[in-house]
Amino acid sequence: MGKSVLVTGGAGFIGSHLCDRLRRDGHEVICFDNLFTGSRENIKHLLGDSRFTFVERDVQDPFFARVDRIFNLACPASPPHYQHDPVATVRTNVLGMMNMLELAKATGARLLQASTSEVYGDPLEHPQRETYWGNVDPLSRRACYDEGKRCAETLCSDYRRELGVDTKIVRIFNTYGPRMAKDDGRVVSNFVLQALRGDDLTVYGDGSYTRSFQYVDDLVEGLVRMMETDDFTGPVNLGNPGEFTILELAELTREMTGSTSRIVHLPAVESDPKQRRPDISFAKERLGWEPTVSLREGLEKTIEYFRTVV
Ligand code: NAD
Ligand code: UDP
């Protein structure tokens, strides 16, 4: 029999794909979102479904519903969005986390927190393993997100230790795919849109910084496996270990879209992590999980999507 599952941030990019998957698996889904960066468009195909409920609310406010599982994804994820109102980002991460932990405590639900590779900051260890404590500047413009997510992890761990709440933590590395918001500002959606519109591809700095790009379907598989694996609380990295420079991504996007756009260099952004790649040994061992979609395949699907909305 299906479970009752709450997905906060469910109308966002990742959340909406997760809602789709949970409905396909036969669960009843409550999608909870304040529509700050998410949209009804992302979930419109689910709105007529009697086992899908959309609740327009803010995680900063307490909430009660009888649920078995909570995926806590509510939080703006792109640097321009989370830096737009940094105090609200901290509140969403910290108060939102506490509200969801209180809900888990009251209902006995299992809670999975969507944490991030940003907890490793500008990492001095490469690739990043879960044992690495990170290198985060608490005063930088990224700190509202990085420190907010770090504090959320602390809350998950304290609620587990002190109150016996069933919490799990996943650290998500850069994820992309259809339904990223057009104004998102993250590198994959920016480059694809710029290439399709014939605009310049904007590389911040010299383009030598690296990221590892994970296609959203791989992440959703990892989230679902983590939620349903007993006796494993994490934190666990979920990401694609392929590592690319931002310049390589720009060139690949231009080639795959057949675009004549130029690649231009803009000033580097503050506190931008120089390199990032997950060590996924733990996820392989404990979840039997690893990504199956290559950057080329994932970009193909993403480009296809953005052609329809550009
Ligand atoms: P997104 O911005 O598309 O989704 C976030 C969703 O949360 C949106 O629908 C937004 O409206 C909602 N939201 C924001 N603040 C809220 C609040 N106070 N109350 C209720 N809803 C709120 O981003 P995404 O890429 O889908 O990210 C989802 C989660 O995964 C986030 O927690 C993010 O930190 C985490 N994550 C994402 C990535 C990535 O590369 N996409 C990497 C690491 C972690
Ligand atoms: N980036 C870029 N051009 C853009 C958007 C981003 O060069 O139009 C760079 C950014 O400086 C960073 C990398 O791409 O080095 C990934 O940025 P994104 O915002 O996607 O994610 P995050 O920094 O959170 O990993």
Side-chain angles (χ1 to χ4, degrees):
M1 212 187 62
K3 297 190 169 65
S4 174
V5 187
L6 176 68
V7 181
T8 76
F13 156 54
I14 296 171
S16 63
H17 287 280
L18 179 60
C19 288
D20 285 346
R21 166 66 188 265
L22 294 168
R23 279 301 298 118
R24 277 202 303 279
D25 288 352
H27 302 300
E28 183 169 345
V29 174
I30 304 175
C31 166
F32 180 115
D33 204 298
N34 69 352
L35 301 180
F36 172 42
T37 53
S39 69
R40 277 177 200 277
E41 186 63 25
N42 286 342
I43 50 164
K44 70 170 190 299
H45 53 287
L46 294 170
L47 289 172
D49 178 341
S50 61
R51 302 199 71 209
F52 178 84
T53 309
F54 175 57
V55 177
E56 187 173 344
R57 269 181 86 115
D58 199 303
V59 276
Q60 294 175 50
D61 303 322
F63 176 71
F64 185 84
R66 278 214 180 277
V67 289
D68 308 303
R69 299 282 186 256
I70 304 168
F71 287 91
N72 188 37
L73 274 64
C75 178
S78 87
H81 284 152
Y82 69 65
Q83 289 169 20
H84 167 73
D85 185 345
V87 177
T89 300
V90 174
R91 290 174 62 92
T92 292
N93 273 313
V94 178
L95 294 180
M97 184 80 258
M98 289 184 80
N99 285 329
M100 289 305 131
L101 286 163
E102 286 296 325
L103 177 61
K105 184 165 77 125
T107 55
R110 175 177 285 178
L111 179 149
L112 181 150
Q113 165 63 0
S115 190
T116 169
S117 53
E118 287 281 327
V119 300
Y120 303 124
D122 190 3
L124 303 176
E125 177 179 306
H126 192 73
Q128 293 78 54
R129 283 177 302 173
E130 291 85 350
T131 46
Y132 179 49
W133 291 352
N135 177 37
V136 174
D137 172 1
L139 305 182
S140 83
R141 287 180 60 77
R142 295 178 89 97
C144 58
Y145 183 76
D146 299 9
E147 298 288 17
K149 288 282 187 181
R150 286 168 69 96
C151 185
E153 287 200 9
T154 305
L155 287 165
C156 278
S157 132
D158 284 337
Y159 266 73
R160 159 172 288 283
R161 212 168 15 222
E162 302 297 318
L163 301 164
V165 176
D166 187 2
T167 62
K168 287 167 173 275
I169 298 169
V170 299
R171 294 184 179 150
I172 302 171
F173 283 64
N174 296 62
T175 303
Y176 68 96
R179 300 189 196 147
M180 292 180 89
K182 279 200 278 183
D183 65 348
D184 190 272
R186 279 179 283 188
V187 69
V188 172
S189 45
N190 270 11
F191 284 177
V192 170
L193 278 166
Q194 288 163 343
L196 292 177
R197 290 173 174 154
D199 295 342
D200 294 343
L201 270 63
T202 53
V203 171
Y204 304 153
D206 65 6
S208 64
Y209 288 7
T210 68
R211 291 293 187 274
S212 298
F213 299 102
Q214 158 173 247
Y215 188 65
V216 64
D217 290 357
D218 282 332
L219 171 64
V220 167
E221 179 63 33
L223 292 174
V224 167
R225 282 193 195 201
M226 180 61 174
M227 181 62 105
E228 294 310 327
T229 301
D230 295 328
D231 304 321
F232 178 45
T233 60
V236 65
N237 290 336
L238 293 181
N240 190 316
E243 184 179 3
F244 298 84
T245 67
I246 297 305
L247 201 53
E248 283 172 333
L249 178 72
E251 281 160 357
L252 182 62
T253 308
R254 206 169 50 165
E255 176 210 310
M256 289 183 61
T257 49
S259 171
T260 54
S261 291
R262 294 182 311 153
I263 295 175
V264 298
H265 292 267
L266 300 184
V269 294
E270 188 206 306
S271 327
D272 199 2
K274 292 176 200 58
Q275 54 181 2
R276 187 180 288 156
R277 172 157 62 95
D279 179 322
I280 59 165
S281 318
F282 211 25
K284 277 187 185 163
E285 184 194 323
R286 297 303 301 268
L287 305 176
W289 174 91
E290 65 183 311
T292 60
V293 183
S294 69
L295 181 57
R296 251 181 200 280
E297 285 171 282
L299 266 183
E300 194 70 61
K301 294 179 190 190
T302 308
I303 292 166
E304 216 172 282
Y305 167 77
F306 277 108
R307 279 192 203 284
T308 66
V309 297
V310 70

